[in-house]
Amino acid sequence: MLVRIIIALLLFIVSILPVKADTLPNSTKDIKSEVIGLYQIPLKLNVYSRPDKNSDVIFQVNWDYKSFNSSYGKEEDFFTILIQSKELAYVQVTDYTDDWTEIVYDKKNYKKGWIQSEEFRFMSWRSFYNMYGRKYGLYYLKNAPEDVKNLHGSTDDISAVIQKINKPIKIKLTVVKGNWALITAIEDNVGKTGYIRWRSDDGEIYLFPKIK
C-alpha cells in the first residue's frame, strides 16, 4: 500500500513539473557578429577540430526532441533555437562550404568546430528572416540600442525618422533589405510602418524572428 502511495505521489510531482521552455536568443550578446546564419542540426552529430574526418572529434551529441545526451556540454549552451513542438533545432554558423560547416557548439564559451555539410540544412540570415520572420514576426533582443526603435522612411541612417516604436504588441516583417527591414509595428491598436535596422553594419543582431 505504501509503495503504491509513493508511486502515485511521484507521478503527480512529475505531472506538475513545468515543461522545459523553448530556446530562443534573449540578448544581442547571444549571437556573435561573425555568425552568418543557422544550421538545422541532425539527431546525431560529430564536431571535428578541422574540416577533415581524420581530425579530432571535439564534440559529440546524440539527441531527440525529448532528451539531450552529450558528455561534452549542456543543451542550453548548444542550441540557439529549440522549438520542440515544431521539431526545430538550430545552431550558429560562422563558415560554410558545400562539404563542411563551422558551427558554434558551445555558446557560453564560444567554442567552434566543423561538421560535415548536408543539403538544405544551412540558412543564411536573409533566408532565415524571410522564412521565419515573415511568418512569425520579430521581437527586440535585450541590449539593442534605443535608436533601433526609430522607424525611417528609407534604408539609410540619415533618412527621416517618421515614427518611433515604444511597446509593440507585434512586429510584422514585410521584407529584408540588407541590414534593414520594412516592418509594421502594432501598438495601441495602431500600425506603424517604416524601415528599422535589424542588424548593425558590424553584424550585431537587434531583432529576431519570434518563432512559437
Side-chain angles (χ1 to χ4, degrees):
M1 183 65 178
L2 180 60
V3 173
R4 290 182 180 178
I5 293 174
I6 293 173
I7 292 174
L9 181 61
L10 289 173
L11 290 174
F12 173 74
I13 292 172
V14 170
S15 69
I16 63 174
L17 287 175
V19 177
K20 191 162 186 179
D22 292 333
T23 298
L24 283 170
N26 180 55
S27 166
T28 58
K29 298 178 181 178
D30 290 340
I31 303 174
K32 299 290 187 182
S33 59
E34 67 174 312
V35 173
I36 61 173
L38 298 173
Y39 192 92
Q40 190 163 18
I41 289 297
L43 301 182
K44 292 184 179 180
L45 188 71
N46 288 329
V47 181
Y48 297 87
S49 60
R50 294 182 291 106
D52 182 347
K53 285 193 69 174
N54 294 319
S55 63
D56 294 335
V57 175
I58 54 178
F59 185 90
Q60 195 171 39
V61 64
N62 183 6
W63 69 287
D64 57 34
Y65 288 91
K66 295 180 180 178
S67 62
F68 181 85
N69 181 19
S70 176
S71 59
Y72 293 82
K74 298 179 180 179
E75 175 182 330
E76 57 267 28
D77 295 331
F78 181 60
F79 295 107
T80 292
I81 296 174
L82 178 59
I83 310 293
Q84 296 181 354
S85 62
K86 297 184 179 298
E87 295 195 350
L88 289 177
Y90 286 93
V91 296
Q92 298 172 30
V93 174
T94 53
D95 198 1
Y96 179 82
T97 69
D98 290 339
D99 299 319
W100 290 90
T101 302
E102 186 180 45
I103 68 166
V104 178
Y105 65 87
D106 183 344
K107 295 184 301 178
K108 183 178 180 180
N109 299 296
Y110 197 59
K111 293 181 179 180
K112 300 182 292 182
W114 293 88
I115 61 174
Q116 289 186 286
S117 301
E118 295 182 27
E119 284 188 325
F120 311 118
R121 289 188 177 273
F122 170 67
M123 295 189 75
S124 66
W125 282 132
R126 185 181 182 87
S127 297
F128 181 76
Y129 276 71
N130 279 332
M131 176 177 287
Y132 293 106
R134 292 176 67 180
K135 183 175 182 179
Y136 296 104
L138 306 173
Y139 68 96
Y140 280 99
L141 297 176
K142 290 182 180 178
N143 304 316
E146 188 65 22
D147 61 6
V148 178
K149 294 182 179 180
N150 292 334
L151 285 172
H152 290 256
S154 66
T155 57
D156 195 322
D157 287 318
I158 62 173
S159 63
V161 175
I162 54 179
Q163 293 185 88
K164 184 172 182 178
I165 302 173
N166 296 302
K167 295 181 179 179
I169 298 174
K170 186 174 184 179
I171 302 176
K172 298 179 180 179
L173 172 65
T174 299
V175 66
V176 170
K177 293 186 176 181
N179 294 326
W180 292 79
L182 178 61
I183 62 98
T184 297
I186 309 301
E187 190 172 73
D188 297 327
N189 295 320
V190 176
K192 299 179 178 180
T193 299
Y195 288 97
I196 58 172
R197 272 193 171 273
W198 68 272
R199 182 174 64 177
S200 73
D201 290 336
D202 295 328
E204 183 179 33
I205 292 176
Y206 302 137
L207 293 100
F208 201 81
K210 195 175 185 179
I211 304 172
K212 56 185 177 179

